[in-house]
Amino acid sequence: MIKVLFVKHYNEEELQEMDVTPDEAEVSLALLLLGQYPVFFEKEEEEEEESVSEDELEVKISNQTYEKKGKKKRKVAEVDNSKETLLRMIDWEANRPKNPPRRIFVRDPDAMGACSELMWKQLTGSDVKDNQCRLMLGKEQVKKMMVDVLGKAEKLGIHGQKVSVYGPKGEIHEMVFKMWKKDTPILMSVGWKNFVKKYKLEKHVDFLTIWMFRHKETRKICFAIDSTRIPVKGMLSPKILNAAFKNPS
């Protein structure tokens, strides 16, 4: 935004001390000589925008409003806060496997060494976009996974490392495990794009259960991912997250 300052009673020395451009100063001095008061335009400091991930943005946008022709209109909300969904999520939380199912390792039965506790994720629009090729993960959950598997949290960096991702039916997909925008861990590459197509994953209705483990033979970091489809109508509301899960992701 721009605000106008009507400046009176400034002499030449004071103008030189002001934070103005040479052109503004020249015009202002000329106006002073003519007995007129110069006008300055000063930019106000802009507020620094809050940095949020695309996942957080998708949840926040449901609560935003905008002004149009003097009337307040609400953007279409994609948040599910229904009792039916709450009961479904409570049931899923109680009955999902705590360890990777054996069917995930049908093609490599002796793969899994040290394994982390599970994390879960409700897929968002950015996770399944054909031109994105990435699955965004929770930073704190990934740190805990690394401690479980490696004994410490290691830095990934923007280049990351290649990992094998074992899917619900045993297929093995090669992906890159790295940091995105310095603070968001992701699984990416055409491997994730193929994973989405293979299992016909969709935003909101597909929920992933994810484990990190160390391969027994190669000693490399790997992931196991199981998927469950639950007919919800949008992102889960904070109320459902807090009621259904001990540790909401």
Side-chain angles (χ1 to χ4, degrees), residues 90-103:
I90 290 174
D91 180 69
W92 182 62
E93 166 71 357
N95 294 294
R96 64 182 173 179
K98 304 305 179 186
N99 297 307
R102 289 186 179 181
R103 57 181 159 76

Side-chain angles (χ1 to χ4, degrees), residues 12 19 24 47 52 62 91 108 118-119 143 164 206 208 229:
E12 182 175 353
D19 185 18
E24 290 174 330
E47 294 184 2
V52 296
S62 65
D91 180 69
D108 193 2
L118 65 84
M119 69 167 283
K143 280 185 178 180
S164 296
D206 283 317
L208 303 184
R229 178 157 295 186

Side-chain angles (χ1 to χ4, degrees), residues 146-184:
M146 285 187 161
V147 172
D148 289 344
V149 175
L150 307 175
K152 61 180 180 178
E154 295 185 353
K155 291 184 178 181
L156 288 175
I158 59 174
H159 300 294
Q161 57 184 288
K162 293 181 179 180
V163 295
S164 296
V165 179
Y166 291 66
K169 296 182 180 179
E171 292 85 356
I172 302 173
H173 304 263
E174 299 303 318
M175 302 185 197
V176 177
F177 181 39
K178 58 180 288 186
M179 296 300 289
W180 181 68
K181 291 188 176 180
K182 297 184 179 181
D183 62 357
T184 303

Side-chain angles (χ1 to χ4, degrees), residues 126-243:
S126 68
D127 293 323
V128 297
K129 280 184 179 179
D130 193 57
N131 63 343
Q132 297 281 20
C133 300
R134 66 171 182 254
L135 171 67
M136 302 177 74
L137 304 173
K139 184 177 181 179
E140 295 305 317
Q141 287 83 2
V142 167
K143 280 185 178 180
K144 188 176 186 307
M145 282 179 156
M146 285 187 161
V147 172
D148 289 344
V149 175
L150 307 175
K152 61 180 180 178
E154 295 185 353
K155 291 184 178 181
L156 288 175
I158 59 174
H159 300 294
Q161 57 184 288
K162 293 181 179 180
V163 295
S164 296
V165 179
Y166 291 66
K169 296 182 180 179
E171 292 85 356
I172 302 173
H173 304 263
E174 299 303 318
M175 302 185 197
V176 177
F177 181 39
K178 58 180 288 186
M179 296 300 289
W180 181 68
K181 291 188 176 180
K182 297 184 179 181
D183 62 357
T184 303
I186 61 173
L187 286 171
M188 70 168 297
S189 79
V190 69
W192 173 248
K193 182 178 179 178
N194 293 336
F195 192 101
V196 171
K197 288 184 176 180
K198 171 68 178 177
Y199 297 105
K200 299 179 180 178
L201 300 179
E202 299 178 11
K203 69 175 182 178
H204 301 164
V205 296
D206 283 317
F207 291 78
L208 303 184
T209 307
I210 306 168
W211 297 267
M212 180 190 293
F213 67 93
R214 188 192 287 276
H215 197 283
K216 276 186 177 180
E217 293 184 3
T218 65
R219 308 300 294 166
K220 292 183 178 180
I221 292 177
C222 300
F223 287 86
I225 299 180
D226 199 14
S227 65
T228 304
R229 178 157 295 186
I230 304 174
V232 303
K233 297 178 181 179
M235 295 297 293
L236 300 181
S237 69
K239 180 179 178 181
I240 289 179
L241 289 173
N242 292 324

